Amino acid sequence: MIIVKTAEEIELMRESALIVSKTLGMLAEEVKPGVTTLYLDTMAETFIRDHGAVPGFLGLYDFPNSLCMSPNAQVVHGIPNDTPLEEGDIISIDCGALKNDFYGDHAYTFEVGEVAPETKKLLQATKESLYVGIRELKIGNRVGDVGYAIQKYTEDRGYGVVRELVGHGLGRKMHEDPEMPNYGKRGRGKKFVEGMVVAIEPMINLGTRRIKQLNDGWTILTADGKPSAHFEHNVAIVDGKPQLLSTFKYVYEALGIQSDEEEEFLQKKLQQ
Ligand code: MG
Ligand code: MG
């Protein structure tokens, strides 16, 4: 059952999402060769608590840390450890925060130093597919329209779309209805309704879409050992249209990147 949110609840969810956005922005300055994911995890936990929130993943389904840290061939749900990041790595950082009883949940895949051109392209296409999907999140559309858009955008570029893990509704629980797959068929699935809030999170592989799981019970990685990218935003349907609750602007500020992508990607199709 989809739990719609009131305008007041959406504002609280924006607050939670922005704490995650700021956490990712803080981490953006710290991601570099030699840094361990466990160190970044500790920094994030402190930062989240200093902002009056609780880490959203810590203890959720018994997850042991505050961040899911998934380098290179790891897709999602990687556990922070004391292995230093290396030049040329990519690292998906997925972060949750709980404040005022509502969760924020979003993710960014960072480059560690200079990464291979084909990996850079994968990151760019995955992030673009996130916005291509978000544009479809509007009244009159269904869950399948978002999945179709993400799948088409990334498969047309030769990438593998992970099927086993999906986006989700978000609210007082980290995972609410509906499931938001990154693949699908136009016009299929549940109808979107005013006031719903979802996490859209394409997980896109450079090679095969097939995955496997480490025997730690958590870490998902690509079956062929090639890199995987993951970007996630929290989005509400307001006035029939998608409204971003999270933002990458703090990440871009930290990295010195000029980007209007959030406005550009959303506006382009909304005007149609
Ligand atoms: Mg997430
Ligand atoms: Mg999520």
Side-chain angles (χ1 to χ4, degrees):
M1 189 189 71
I2 294 172
I3 303 170
V4 297
K5 278 76 184 176
T6 64
E8 292 75 20
E9 288 172 332
I10 287 173
E11 286 317 304
L12 292 177
M13 293 198 68
R14 190 190 311 279
E15 202 180 315
S16 301
L18 284 177
I19 290 172
V20 182
S21 300
K22 289 174 184 171
T23 307
L24 292 176
M26 178 277 292
L27 293 169
E29 298 195 35
E30 304 294 330
V31 170
K32 49 182 82 113
V35 168
T36 71
T37 51
L38 202 51
Y39 170 78
L40 297 173
D41 183 74
T42 306
M43 286 200 75
E45 178 172 358
T46 303
F47 187 91
I48 291 166
R49 293 191 191 281
D50 284 350
H51 284 75
V54 174
F57 299 157
L58 186 63
L60 186 72
Y61 314 118
D62 291 329
F63 189 75
N65 291 84
S66 295
L67 300 175
C68 292
M69 303 284 271
S70 311
N72 303 321
Q74 293 188 10
V75 180
V76 287
H77 300 168
I79 299 174
N81 60 31
D82 55 10
T83 306
L85 295 172
E86 291 181 20
E87 176 81 21
D89 283 350
I90 56 170
I91 175 85
S92 153
I93 303 185
D94 194 351
C95 179
L98 175 65
K99 187 173 182 183
N100 300 315
D101 295 327
F102 286 100
Y103 281 100
D105 170 26
H106 80 130
Y108 192 91
T109 302
F110 294 89
E111 301 172 25
V112 183
E114 201 55 46
V115 308
E118 63 172 4
T119 308
K120 237 182 196 338
K121 272 192 189 166
L122 169 71
L123 295 180
Q124 185 63 25
T126 304
K127 193 162 48 152
E128 287 170 3
S129 78
L130 170 61
Y131 293 106
V132 166
I134 290 170
R135 286 184 208 148
E136 301 292 329
L137 190 85
K138 57 188 176 188
I139 300 299
N141 275 3
R142 292 170 181 265
V143 166
D145 293 305
V146 171
Y148 172 82
I150 293 171
Q151 180 181 10
K152 172 141 183 46
Y153 194 85
T154 51
E155 286 186 349
D156 280 356
R157 286 158 178 76
Y159 299 127
V161 180
V162 173
R163 303 292 203 275
E164 293 85 348
L165 298 135
V166 296
H168 49 93
L170 185 71
R172 291 178 192 272
K173 289 195 175 148
M174 176 67 80
H175 298 113
E176 295 185 354
D177 280 343
E179 288 196 339
M180 295 292 303
N182 299 303
Y183 60 93
K185 294 198 165 73
R186 282 224 169 274
R188 299 280 181 86
K190 289 185 183 167
K191 274 186 186 170
F192 295 134
V193 291
E194 181 74 11
M196 68 189 287
V197 180
V198 298
I200 299 182
E201 49 179 318
M203 289 155 258
I204 309 296
N205 299 344
L206 185 61
T208 179
R209 70 176 176 83
R210 304 280 170 200
I211 56 167
K212 53 187 182 180
Q213 188 170 32
L214 287 185
N215 59 11
D216 62 12
W218 282 105
T219 311
I220 304 292
L221 64 173
T222 59
D224 60 7
K226 291 186 178 173
S228 180
H230 176 217
F231 292 86
E232 177 176 21
H233 267 314
N234 300 156
V235 194
I237 297 185
V238 178
D239 298 331
K241 295 179 297 204
Q243 190 178 93
L244 285 184
L245 302 183
S246 52
T247 174
F248 294 140
K249 76 174 185 186
Y250 300 104
V251 169
Y252 294 145
E253 275 174 24
L255 298 178
I257 295 172
Q258 291 281 349
S259 173
D260 295 324
E261 66 182 25
E262 289 173 6
E263 289 75 22
E264 273 175 23
F265 270 92
L266 287 169
Q267 294 311 322
K268 215 186 286 178
K269 201 115 179 220
L270 292 179
Q271 289 164 359
Q272 287 181 2

